[in-house]
PDB file of all heavy atoms in Angstrom:
ATOM      1  N   SER A 215     200.263 188.059 -10.691  1.00 95.00           N
ATOM      2  CA  SER A 215     200.631 187.697  -9.320  1.00 95.00           C
ATOM      3  C   SER A 215     200.400 188.885  -8.407  1.00 95.00           C
ATOM      4  O   SER A 215     200.878 189.992  -8.677  1.00 95.00           O
ATOM      5  CB  SER A 215     202.104 187.287  -9.254  1.00 95.00           C
ATOM      6  OG  SER A 215     202.366 186.182 -10.085  1.00 95.00           O
ATOM      7  N   SER A 216     199.658 188.660  -7.339  1.00 92.00           N
ATOM      8  CA  SER A 216     199.377 189.715  -6.372  1.00 92.00           C
ATOM      9  C   SER A 216     200.626 190.035  -5.559  1.00 92.00           C
ATOM     10  O   SER A 216     201.344 189.126  -5.129  1.00 92.00           O
ATOM     11  CB  SER A 216     198.261 189.268  -5.431  1.00 92.00           C
ATOM     12  OG  SER A 216     198.229 190.050  -4.258  1.00 92.00           O
ATOM     13  N   PRO A 217     200.909 191.312  -5.307  1.00 92.00           N
ATOM     14  CA  PRO A 217     202.072 191.670  -4.484  1.00 92.00           C
ATOM     15  C   PRO A 217     202.021 191.075  -3.088  1.00 92.00           C
ATOM     16  O   PRO A 217     203.057 190.774  -2.497  1.00 92.00           O
ATOM     17  CB  PRO A 217     202.001 193.200  -4.440  1.00 92.00           C
ATOM     18  CG  PRO A 217     201.222 193.592  -5.642  1.00 92.00           C
ATOM     19  CD  PRO A 217     200.222 192.501  -5.850  1.00 92.00           C
ATOM     20  N   SER A 218     200.816 190.880  -2.553  1.00 92.00           N
ATOM     21  CA  SER A 218     200.703 190.367  -1.190  1.00 92.00           C
ATOM     22  C   SER A 218     200.519 188.858  -1.122  1.00 92.00           C
ATOM     23  O   SER A 218     200.922 188.226  -0.137  1.00 92.00           O
ATOM     24  CB  SER A 218     199.532 191.049  -0.474  1.00 92.00           C
ATOM     25  OG  SER A 218     198.331 190.873  -1.195  1.00 92.00           O
ATOM     26  N   ASN A 219     199.921 188.255  -2.155  1.00 94.00           N
ATOM     27  CA  ASN A 219     199.602 186.824  -2.099  1.00 94.00           C
ATOM     28  C   ASN A 219     200.357 185.961  -3.100  1.00 94.00           C
ATOM     29  O   ASN A 219     200.177 184.746  -3.116  1.00 94.00           O
ATOM     30  CB  ASN A 219     198.100 186.625  -2.300  1.00 94.00           C
ATOM     31  CG  ASN A 219     197.278 187.211  -1.180  1.00 94.00           C
ATOM     32  OD1 ASN A 219     197.581 187.001  -0.007  1.00 94.00           O
ATOM     33  ND2 ASN A 219     196.261 187.972  -1.514  1.00 94.00           N
ATOM     34  N   GLY A 220     201.176 186.568  -3.914  1.00 95.00           N
ATOM     35  CA  GLY A 220     201.969 185.787  -4.857  1.00 95.00           C
ATOM     36  C   GLY A 220     201.166 185.299  -6.042  1.00 95.00           C
ATOM     37  O   GLY A 220     200.134 185.880  -6.392  1.00 95.00           O
ATOM     38  N   PRO A 221     201.615 184.221  -6.685  1.00 95.00           N
ATOM     39  CA  PRO A 221     200.966 183.737  -7.915  1.00 95.00           C
ATOM     40  C   PRO A 221     199.498 183.399  -7.696  1.00 95.00           C
ATOM     41  O   PRO A 221     199.127 182.748  -6.721  1.00 95.00           O
ATOM     42  CB  PRO A 221     201.774 182.484  -8.276  1.00 95.00           C
ATOM     43  CG  PRO A 221     203.096 182.690  -7.613  1.00 95.00           C
ATOM     44  CD  PRO A 221     202.805 183.425  -6.342  1.00 95.00           C
ATOM     45  N   GLY A 222     198.680 183.861  -8.623  1.00 97.00           N
ATOM     46  CA  GLY A 222     197.270 183.532  -8.562  1.00 97.00           C
ATOM     47  C   GLY A 222     197.001 182.138  -9.102  1.00 97.00           C
ATOM     48  O   GLY A 222     197.829 181.535  -9.792  1.00 97.00           O
ATOM     49  N   LEU A 223     195.808 181.637  -8.806  1.00 98.00           N
ATOM     50  CA  LEU A 223     195.440 180.271  -9.181  1.00 98.00           C
ATOM     51  C   LEU A 223     194.504 180.214 -10.380  1.00 98.00           C
ATOM     52  O   LEU A 223     194.212 179.128 -10.883  1.00 98.00           O
ATOM     53  CB  LEU A 223     194.758 179.589  -7.983  1.00 98.00           C
ATOM     54  CG  LEU A 223     195.576 179.565  -6.688  1.00 98.00           C
ATOM     55  CD1 LEU A 223     194.740 178.976  -5.562  1.00 98.00           C
ATOM     56  CD2 LEU A 223     196.859 178.780  -6.875  1.00 98.00           C
ATOM     57  N   ASP A 224     194.049 181.364 -10.851  1.00 98.00           N
ATOM     58  CA  ASP A 224     193.048 181.360 -11.915  1.00 98.00           C
ATOM     59  C   ASP A 224     193.531 180.778 -13.241  1.00 98.00           C
ATOM     60  O   ASP A 224     192.752 180.106 -13.926  1.00 98.00           O
ATOM     61  CB  ASP A 224     192.498 182.765 -12.114  1.00 98.00           C
ATOM     62  CG  ASP A 224     191.560 183.176 -10.987  1.00 98.00           C
ATOM     63  OD1 ASP A 224     190.922 182.279 -10.401  1.00 98.00           O
ATOM     64  OD2 ASP A 224     191.466 184.372 -10.694  1.00 98.00           O
ATOM     65  N   PRO A 225     194.792 180.993 -13.662  1.00 98.00           N
ATOM     66  CA  PRO A 225     195.224 180.346 -14.907  1.00 98.00           C
ATOM     67  C   PRO A 225     195.100 178.830 -14.862  1.00 98.00           C
ATOM     68  O   PRO A 225     194.728 178.204 -15.861  1.00 98.00           O
ATOM     69  CB  PRO A 225     196.684 180.795 -15.045  1.00 98.00           C
ATOM     70  CG  PRO A 225     196.718 182.123 -14.365  1.00 98.00           C
ATOM     71  CD  PRO A 225     195.813 181.954 -13.175  1.00 98.00           C
ATOM     72  N   ALA A 226     195.399 178.232 -13.702  1.00 98.00           N
ATOM     73  CA  ALA A 226     195.271 176.784 -13.567  1.00 98.00           C
ATOM     74  C   ALA A 226     193.816 176.359 -13.422  1.00 98.00           C
ATOM     75  O   ALA A 226     193.423 175.266 -13.863  1.00 98.00           O
ATOM     76  CB  ALA A 226     196.078 176.300 -12.360  1.00 98.00           C
ATOM     77  N   ALA A 227     192.998 177.207 -12.803  1.00 98.00           N
ATOM     78  CA  ALA A 227     191.591 176.859 -12.589  1.00 98.00           C
ATOM     79  C   ALA A 227     190.758 177.018 -13.855  1.00 98.00           C
ATOM     80  O   ALA A 227     189.745 176.315 -14.028  1.00 98.00           O
ATOM     81  CB  ALA A 227     191.002 177.733 -11.478  1.00 98.00           C
ATOM     82  N   LEU A 228     191.160 177.926 -14.749  1.00 98.00           N
ATOM     83  CA  LEU A 228     190.327 178.258 -15.906  1.00 98.00           C
ATOM     84  C   LEU A 228     189.921 177.052 -16.744  1.00 98.00           C
ATOM     85  O   LEU A 228     188.724 176.890 -17.041  1.00 98.00           O
ATOM     86  CB  LEU A 228     191.027 179.299 -16.779  1.00 98.00           C
ATOM     87  CG  LEU A 228     190.276 179.704 -18.044  1.00 98.00           C
ATOM     88  CD1 LEU A 228     188.927 180.334 -17.712  1.00 98.00           C
ATOM     89  CD2 LEU A 228     191.116 180.659 -18.886  1.00 98.00           C
ATOM     90  N   PRO A 229     190.841 176.179 -17.191  1.00 98.00           N
ATOM     91  CA  PRO A 229     190.384 175.061 -18.030  1.00 98.00           C
ATOM     92  C   PRO A 229     189.405 174.143 -17.314  1.00 98.00           C
ATOM     93  O   PRO A 229     188.469 173.618 -17.933  1.00 98.00           O
ATOM     94  CB  PRO A 229     191.685 174.336 -18.395  1.00 98.00           C
ATOM     95  CG  PRO A 229     192.704 174.807 -17.415  1.00 98.00           C
ATOM     96  CD  PRO A 229     192.303 176.194 -17.034  1.00 98.00           C
TER      97      PRO A 229
END
Side-chain angles (χ1 to χ4, degrees):
S215 300
S216 162
S218 56
N219 295 313
L223 304 175
D224 286 331
L228 178 61

